[in-house]
Amino acid sequence: MLPFDFDYYRPQSLSEAVELYQYLAQQGKKPMFFSGGTELITLGRIDLAHADAVIDIKGIAEGRVMEMEGDYLVLGSTLSLTNIEEANPFPLLTKTSSEIADHTARGKITVGGNICGQIFYREAVLPFLLADSQVVLIGPKGVKTAFIHDVFNKELQLEKGEFLVQLATERRFVEAPFISIKRRQQWDTGYPLITIAALKIDREIRVAISGLCPFPFRSREVEEALNRQGVTGEARVERALTVLPRPILNDIEGSAEYRLFVLKNLFIDILRALDGMTV
């Protein structure tokens, strides 16, 4: 049970959801867009999340889209991770998201809910960062389409009353060679120590990481180091470790030193899998 009460709304259209948020905010309420609910329940129980009103956007058709439109795969933000796993429209996303939480939870966690969540792992964003995906947002100012790199900086930068509707990914990224690895310190479905996703496009490796820092990220500096020609694989990895963003997490899941040790070996695995290099 949650230690607070809230009003529940289930709009059937994008405009209704936006207007409802504005109306509730004007009434002095603290509304929250809601698609899966797992995070509200988890964090609400320990007083880290609160809402006076919950706007459930799962009934909106645009959020449930899963289709190819020309050369782009369009995925709605309210698709559950189980929906993605079963249909497998984007293999890298399937592999990365299929190891989030457990099977029961994945049936409730949505793609958008994971990307926009307060819990910092947000692993579902990694494939979209690698694929230069576009996002469709809607809010009081209307519909906005942007490249994910322009609106995601440690977290999705949403304006008040705005929410994620869809993500569009070019076919060539969907079909690119990839690898996705999750390492845990504890049990099979516990929080990850590090999740790393990588794909190879235009003969270069792209890398995105969750669990190393208190935010998921893709680093061009790391990629430049790993793709550097004329040096050994070991030298590439060592260089990549020196250009990581900070801070490195140091918590109950693992020390900063241990995380870096694990990451070093993950970089080696990526070079072996996607570059055929002996390190």
Side-chain angles (χ1 to χ4, degrees):
M1 296 290 291
L2 291 171
F4 55 87
D5 295 323
F6 56 83
D7 297 326
Y8 175 82
Y9 302 88
R10 190 178 171 92
Q12 296 301 305
S13 70
L14 295 173
S15 59
E16 184 184 355
V18 172
E19 291 168 4
L20 187 55
Y21 187 101
Q22 291 177 288
Y23 171 77
L24 292 168
Q26 290 168 357
Q27 300 302 307
K29 298 281 190 179
K30 184 181 179 182
M32 173 186 291
F33 289 117
F34 167 106
S35 60
T38 55
E39 189 165 293
L40 177 61
I41 294 171
T42 300
L43 298 182
R45 286 172 175 168
I46 56 176
D47 202 29
L48 291 178
H50 178 81
D52 297 316
V54 166
I55 302 172
D56 187 343
I57 60 174
K58 292 194 302 296
I60 299 173
E62 288 88 343
R64 301 194 302 271
V65 169
M66 185 191 301
E67 62 185 17
M68 290 298 302
E69 293 185 3
D71 287 330
Y72 285 84
L73 170 67
V74 180
L75 298 175
S77 66
T78 61
L79 292 169
S80 73
L81 300 186
T82 299
N83 293 150
I84 297 297
E85 188 173 356
E86 291 175 347
N88 192 26
F90 185 178
L92 174 55
L93 177 61
T94 300
K95 180 64 171 65
T96 304
S97 62
S98 67
E99 297 183 29
I100 295 173
D102 58 28
H103 180 74
T104 301
R106 288 195 297 275
K108 298 178 181 178
I109 299 170
T110 62
V111 175
N114 183 266
I115 291 173
C116 299
Q118 293 183 48
I119 298 173
F120 62 76
Y121 294 101
R122 298 191 283 273
E123 300 106 302
V125 78
L126 302 182
F128 298 109
L129 292 175
L130 294 175
D132 296 335
S133 298
Q134 297 180 54
V135 298
V136 178
L137 309 174
I138 191 167
K141 297 179 182 178
V143 177
K144 179 170 68 179
T145 301
F147 283 102
I148 194 165
H149 299 293
D150 294 330
V151 292
F152 191 93
N153 181 14
K154 300 182 180 179
E155 62 184 11
L156 193 61
Q157 304 295 309
L158 295 171
E159 297 182 10
K160 186 175 181 180
E162 196 172 50
F163 66 92
L164 175 64
V165 181
Q166 295 173 343
L167 302 105
T169 304
E170 197 174 349
R171 185 192 300 269
R172 66 192 186 102
F173 292 105
V174 171
E175 297 174 349
F178 71 89
I179 183 171
S180 179
I181 309 171
K182 185 185 296 288
R183 290 284 182 263
R184 291 186 175 91
Q185 176 81 321
Q186 300 185 43
W187 50 89
D188 288 344
T189 57
Y191 285 126
L193 183 72
I194 293 179
T195 301
I196 191 165
L199 60 76
K200 190 170 186 179
I201 196 84
D202 298 329
R203 294 183 291 185
E204 290 199 341
I205 295 171
R206 299 182 174 195
V207 177
I209 301 169
S210 166
L212 181 74
C213 302
F215 48 84
F217 67 91
R218 175 186 170 195
S219 168
R220 303 303 174 93
E221 292 80 9
V222 168
E223 291 173 0
E224 288 175 5
L226 293 177
N227 287 294
R228 187 177 179 187
Q229 299 300 307
V231 297
T232 66
E234 183 177 357
R236 295 187 194 185
V237 170
E238 291 297 336
R239 172 59 182 165
L241 293 172
T242 68
V243 294
L244 293 166
R246 293 294 191 272
I248 306 299
L249 285 168
N250 187 24
D251 58 22
I252 192 171
E253 303 298 333
S255 67
E257 292 77 14
Y258 183 62
R259 276 184 160 88
L260 290 171
F261 169 77
V262 171
L263 182 62
K264 178 177 180 179
N265 286 282
L266 290 173
F267 281 156
I268 291 171
D269 291 340
I270 286 170
L271 289 180
R272 285 173 173 163
L274 296 181
D275 208 38
M277 175 167 283
T278 301
V279 182

